[in-house]
Amino acid sequence: MTDTWQTITRLADRLEDHSTLPREQRVLLQLLKIQEEAGEVAEAVIGAMGQNPRKGYSHTWEDVEAEVCDVIVTGMVALVRMNPDAAAVFARHVERIAERDLSGVTEGTPQ
C-alpha cells in the first residue's frame, strides 16, 4: 500500500508544477478548493436525500462518502502546500485533539 502522505505530496507537487502564480496565491486557491469540495458534499447529500425537486435522487450515500474523501484529500494537499512537514503538523494536531477530547475516555466506551 502506498503511503498516504507520499501520494498527497505527489499531488501537491503536481499542482505546484502546473501553476505559475506566486506561492501565496497558489496556497490561497488551494484553500478555496476545500470550500468547493465541501459544496460538492452538500450537493451529494441533497441528492442522496432526494431534496432537489428538479433532480430527485441524483446521488447515493457512496457518492457522499467519495465527496467527503475529496474534502479530506484536498485539505491534506493544502496542508502540504503550506508546510512540507505536513504529516508531522497533522500528527501533532490529532494528538492535541485526542488529549482535549478523549482524555479520561476509555477505548470502546460510548461517549
Side-chain angles (χ1 to χ4, degrees):
M1 183 171 144
T2 304
D3 177 70
T4 300
W5 283 106
Q6 286 178 336
T7 300
I8 296 300
T9 299
R10 289 181 59 214
L11 289 168
D13 289 346
R14 180 172 179 248
L15 292 170
E16 288 295 313
D17 292 344
H18 176 74
S19 181
T20 58
L21 295 174
R23 181 181 187 282
E24 186 175 85
Q25 289 179 12
R26 293 190 313 264
V27 170
L28 177 60
L29 289 171
Q30 184 66 43
L31 294 171
L32 292 174
K33 183 72 176 167
I34 297 168
Q35 183 62 39
E36 178 187 3
E37 294 295 343
E40 292 177 16
V41 171
E43 180 182 11
V45 169
I46 290 166
M49 297 183 74
Q51 293 303 298
N52 182 332
R54 191 171 46 82
K55 295 181 181 179
Y57 286 91
S58 59
H59 292 75
T60 66
W61 286 104
E62 289 79 19
D63 295 328
V64 176
E65 291 170 356
E67 296 298 345
V68 169
C69 289
D70 285 348
V71 171
I72 294 165
V73 168
T74 302
M76 292 173 78
V77 168
L79 190 56
V80 166
R81 293 181 87 182
M82 294 173 67
N83 185 333
D85 199 21
V89 170
F90 186 73
R92 285 192 303 270
H93 189 74
V94 170
E95 286 175 17
R96 284 193 298 272
I97 290 171
E99 287 172 11
R100 179 190 70 203
D101 296 339
L102 299 176
S103 91
V105 176
T106 306
E107 196 171 318
T109 304
Q111 298 183 25

